Amino acid sequence: MQIGTWSAPPVLTRVRDAMLASGSLARRIAEDAVLVSMRNGEAHEDLEWDGVHEHYVVDDEPIDRDEVVAASVIALSFDRGCEAALAYHRATRLPLREAAPTPIADDPFSMPAWQRAEAYFGSNGLRALRSELNVRTARVWLQALELGQINPCFQALISVQQLLPAIEAFEIYIEGRDEPAIEVSANALAVNLPVWIQAREIFDAMPIVTFLPANFAARSEVEQASKASRSAAWMAADGVLDALDGGPESLDESGVTLLVDRLHLVETAAEHCLRLMRLFRIEGVVGGSSPREWCIGPVISGSVILRCRVRR
């Protein structure tokens, strides 16, 4: 136990004066972001809003709304920067650890898991307006969800599922609509995880078929599982055709490697999708019992697949 003396912290005016006297970045922050009268008005409960003139009032003195907004933005940006700097400082004082392929829920050197979870939507190009993540069925409201954003949304959800393992299901809403746009269980996302890891380690751009299991599970929430399985089979077949048609006309060694990697990803995605289908007890709906029979066999001859596999 440490023993020392206690003294009252300085009032905000003294802190601001000290920042102004520094003549550095602290001075600029104090000038633009430290509004003493605004803080005092809030603390002493005599802050008022003048709706007619659209400004704040403290002790009969007006405070421009735009000035408050600008100060809030600067203060929040500075706060986030300090958090990032502290996290970096703490991390660099630790021995380097092996890079983890997925987010770590209990990482003591990161922001709280729910804050990181929200950030994954933004990093995937989705604007999350609000969320409920401290429940068994998590809900997230997005500003929009276009067709091309569905797979990025699945990618965000796979990361979130790793951070918040207690969540059992996810519902994604578009702001202003009552029905969820996407419903998917945490179990389906967990089944999709190995496919995503495989794709992330190999490809610069994520192939569409990467999220085949999650796509099937989400479709099964709104339509018959048999219909969802047929759609998944077509998506897998399209992934094979895209791998064949999307490559160069003349395959060199790197082209063959890319082709094999893409076909192998389709097979992995189909394999994990079949695991979900067996949970729905619909094995007989698809054309075969193995991923190759199900999606690859009907599209190209087995000899092509075998030659590619020899190169692999």
Side-chain angles (χ1 to χ4, degrees), residues 125-276:
L126 301 164
R127 184 177 179 185
L129 302 178
R130 55 195 175 99
S131 63
E132 296 176 0
L133 301 175
N134 192 25
V135 288
R136 289 183 177 180
T137 298
R139 299 174 178 86
V140 179
W141 284 262
L142 302 179
Q143 184 181 47
L145 183 65
E146 305 296 336
L147 181 63
Q149 296 176 310
I150 293 177
N151 276 2
C153 185
F154 283 137
Q155 178 164 262
L157 288 174
I158 288 175
S159 298
V160 173
Q161 193 270 331
Q162 299 302 300
L163 286 175
L164 303 171
I167 293 177
E168 298 176 357
F170 294 86
E171 294 180 352
I172 303 299
Y173 293 82
I174 300 174
E175 187 69 10
R177 300 184 186 179
D178 296 331
E179 297 296 324
I182 293 177
E183 297 178 70
V184 63
S185 69
N187 177 63
L189 296 172
V191 170
N192 205 142
L193 178 62
V195 189
W196 176 65
I197 293 176
Q198 177 179 322
R200 196 180 67 170
E201 291 175 349
I202 297 174
F203 302 106
D204 296 328
M206 198 68 68
I208 294 176
V209 76
T210 302
F211 303 99
L212 185 65
N215 194 294
F216 162 75
R219 293 180 70 101
S220 298
E221 294 291 339
V222 295
E223 62 187 20
Q224 291 183 349
S226 57
K227 185 177 180 180
S229 69
R230 293 189 181 97
S231 299
W234 277 111
M235 289 178 62
D238 185 67
V240 173
L241 291 174
D242 186 61
L244 294 171
D245 296 339
E249 294 183 2
S250 178
L251 291 179
D252 55 12
E253 184 176 354
S254 61
V256 171
T257 299
L258 177 61
L259 173 61
V260 172
D261 286 339
R262 293 197 62 179
L263 294 177
H264 183 52
L265 181 69
V266 174
E267 190 169 12
T268 302
E271 177 184 354
H272 285 77
C273 195
L274 282 170
R275 289 179 54 191
L276 289 177

Side-chain angles (χ1 to χ4, degrees), residues 32-87:
D32 298 331
V34 183
L35 306 181
V36 175
S37 57
M38 189 75 182
R39 181 267 173 195
N40 290 342
E42 178 71 18
H44 301 150
E45 298 184 357
D46 57 2
L47 174 66
E48 298 179 0
W49 168 252
D50 185 340
V52 176
H53 300 94
E54 295 188 343
H55 60 217
Y56 294 96
V57 178
V58 177
D59 294 334
D60 296 328
E61 293 293 329
I63 303 176
D64 186 69
R65 178 181 60 178
D66 292 339
E67 181 183 4
V68 176
V69 172
S72 300
V73 170
I74 293 173
L76 184 60
S77 299
F78 181 78
D79 176 68
R80 293 293 185 266
C82 289
E83 286 185 353
L86 178 60

Side-chain angles (χ1 to χ4, degrees), residues 83-84 86-91 94 97 100 102-117 120 163:
E83 286 185 353
L86 178 60
Y88 173 79
H89 174 70
R90 296 172 66 183
L94 294 175
R97 69 183 182 192
T102 58
I104 301 175
D106 56 352
D107 189 346
F109 301 104
S110 297
M111 295 186 298
W114 68 269
Q115 288 184 337
R116 285 187 286 156
Y120 274 115
L163 286 175

